[in-house]
Amino acid sequence: MDIEHVVRGRVPRPGGFDDIVVTVSAGVVSDVRAAAEGDPSSSGILLPGLVDIHNHGGGGASFHSTSSDEIAVAAGVHHAAGTTTLLASTVTDAPERLLSVVSVLATAAEDGLIAGIHMEGPFLEHSCRGAHDPELLMAPDPGLTRELIAAARGQLRVMTLAAELPGADEVAAVLTSAGVVVALGHTAASAAQARAFLAGPGGLVTHLFNGMPPAHHRSPGPVLGSLGAAGVGDACVELIADGVHLDDETVRAVMSMVPGSVVLVTDAMAAADGDYQLGPLSVEVRSGVARVADGTGNGSIAGGTSRLLDQVRRHAAAGIDLAMLMKAATLRPASVVGLDAGRLEPGARADLVITDESLRPTRVMRGGAWLSA
């Protein structure tokens, strides 16, 4: 027997909220209408499930793993926090290890636990490597790329690539022919190279500002080249808007410059204070900030510790329109990687997030089922 749910809440619209009632049947949104007298009382603020397309793990567990149990723990942490759709991200590693990890992640995607795979590395610029093992970075290799695509069994959605490396264009062509989104990232490309890449095979920028040289008024580099491409084309830029990777004013400025092209991501890793592995590298988390454990205390930031709704809440409190933020955390990331997610409309999978007035989640539905707190 199909379970039907009727949920009333205030859904954000530009400049305010609409009071609506959502009916869920057989795991799908069957009706959305304006609330009327006699309807159930409001549950709070009602949001579509959030979509995170750059996520390395959570709850002490990593997606860069060959353990299905560990992958399930990481996914469950983000699902319960309101991110009902996510891509599992890998990091730079030895080719044989990458092939094993991708194969296990493909099974998790086939089982519906994750929505696909994002590969970050190994074809990255050494000087912009961030938390990627320098010994394992390699030149873009079309043969290895084909092997990874095969191991992913149709579940590879995104691969991050430094556009300026020799062989990058050939790898980008292999990825594009397989339906994989090519993301510009961990790159020292010039502004012209970034623009050309994003006007061609590239449709996404991996965590803008992070893993690339800063913009300078006489050397604009990949930051301003990416923003220019996003302003005139279809390319999107990821922002890790957690107050650690980017200053809040930077987030505000980018969202005002290219409001329809921003994708909020967590770049989350295992998180919580302690010591972890991020692929082959050791990482230490102190006061919520993850850094490579290089022994100096000044290691590169090694991923985020926020949940996607944390970022939405942070910037809504700072005055950015909630409807704009939600688009950057739902429809835009889903569309750029070809996922049908982040919608609160008839026919959509029933992924709902109920929050209190401060945007802290109180209940999450995924595929028509309420998740345990």
Side-chain angles (χ1 to χ4, degrees):
M1 179 178 175
D2 292 335
I3 298 176
E4 183 176 86
H5 303 278
V6 180
V7 183
R8 178 178 177 178
R10 297 166 54 239
V11 65
R13 303 296 187 209
F17 293 89
D18 287 344
D19 188 5
I20 67 168
V21 174
V22 176
T23 303
V24 172
S25 303
V28 174
V29 174
S30 56
D31 185 55
V32 178
R33 59 176 176 80
E37 187 176 349
D39 282 328
S41 59
S42 177
S43 300
I45 295 175
L46 180 59
L47 307 173
L50 279 66
V51 180
D52 190 358
I53 62 172
H54 188 156
N55 189 312
H56 295 278
S62 172
F63 285 128
H64 191 91
S65 173
T66 54
S67 165
S68 57
D69 289 342
E70 184 172 3
I71 291 165
V73 167
V77 165
H78 289 279
H79 292 164
T83 304
T84 52
T85 300
L86 55 87
L87 299 188
S89 301
T90 66
V91 296
T92 296
D93 212 331
E96 59 273 16
R97 171 69 175 174
L98 285 174
L99 289 166
S100 297
V101 168
V102 164
S103 179
V104 175
L105 288 174
T107 299
E110 290 162 352
D111 291 342
L113 191 64
I114 59 174
I117 304 165
H118 159 228
M119 296 202 69
E120 191 174 16
F123 310 137
L124 310 176
E125 164 55 37
H126 186 278
S127 65
C128 301
R129 63 188 180 275
H132 290 262
D133 190 332
E135 300 299 321
L136 297 174
L137 294 174
M138 58 187 296
D141 182 337
L144 176 58
T145 303
R146 293 186 182 94
E147 290 184 62
L148 291 166
I149 290 169
R153 304 193 300 275
Q155 301 298 333
L156 181 57
R157 294 275 180 177
V158 183
M159 188 171 199
T160 300
L161 185 64
E164 71 276 20
L165 297 181
D169 288 343
E170 189 174 354
V171 165
V174 171
L175 292 167
T176 300
S177 67
V180 179
V181 174
V182 183
L184 173 69
H186 289 277
T187 177
S190 68
Q193 287 173 318
R195 271 183 173 268
F197 190 77
L198 292 169
L204 182 65
V205 179
T206 293
H207 46 50
L208 184 71
F209 297 100
N210 300 115
M212 54 187 69
H216 184 277
H217 56 286
R218 287 190 296 273
S219 181
V223 171
L224 295 187
S226 296
L227 286 171
V232 300
D234 296 327
C236 288
V237 295
E238 293 180 356
L239 297 181
I240 312 173
D242 58 3
V244 174
H245 287 78
L246 299 175
D247 187 88
D248 291 349
E249 284 299 329
T250 301
V251 174
R252 183 186 294 275
V254 173
M255 293 201 76
S256 68
M257 284 188 281
V258 288
S261 301
V262 172
V263 170
L264 297 180
V265 298
T266 62
D267 194 16
M269 49 82 66
D273 282 11
D275 300 324
Y276 300 92
Q277 287 298 123
L278 184 61
L281 291 184
S282 296
V283 171
E284 56 186 20
V285 182
R286 302 290 184 265
S287 301
V289 179
R291 293 187 180 277
V292 174
D294 64 354
T296 68
N298 295 309
S300 297
I301 294 176
T305 61
S306 70
R307 308 293 178 251
L308 200 55
L309 189 54
D310 296 339
Q311 297 184 21
V312 172
R313 180 172 59 253
R314 179 186 187 93
H315 293 284
I320 297 180
D321 184 73
L322 179 56
M324 178 187 294
L325 289 165
M326 283 304 300
K327 181 178 180 182
T330 56
L331 292 174
R332 204 66 191 100
S335 65
V336 78
V337 299
L339 294 172
D340 182 11
R343 297 188 297 121
L344 198 54
E345 302 170 357
R349 190 177 78 172
D351 294 344
L352 313 175
V353 183
I354 297 173
T355 80
D356 61 18
E357 292 304 305
S358 63
L359 292 175
R360 296 189 181 279
T362 58
R363 211 169 185 196
V364 177
M365 175 184 288
R366 184 172 190 265
W370 293 111
L371 302 184
S372 300

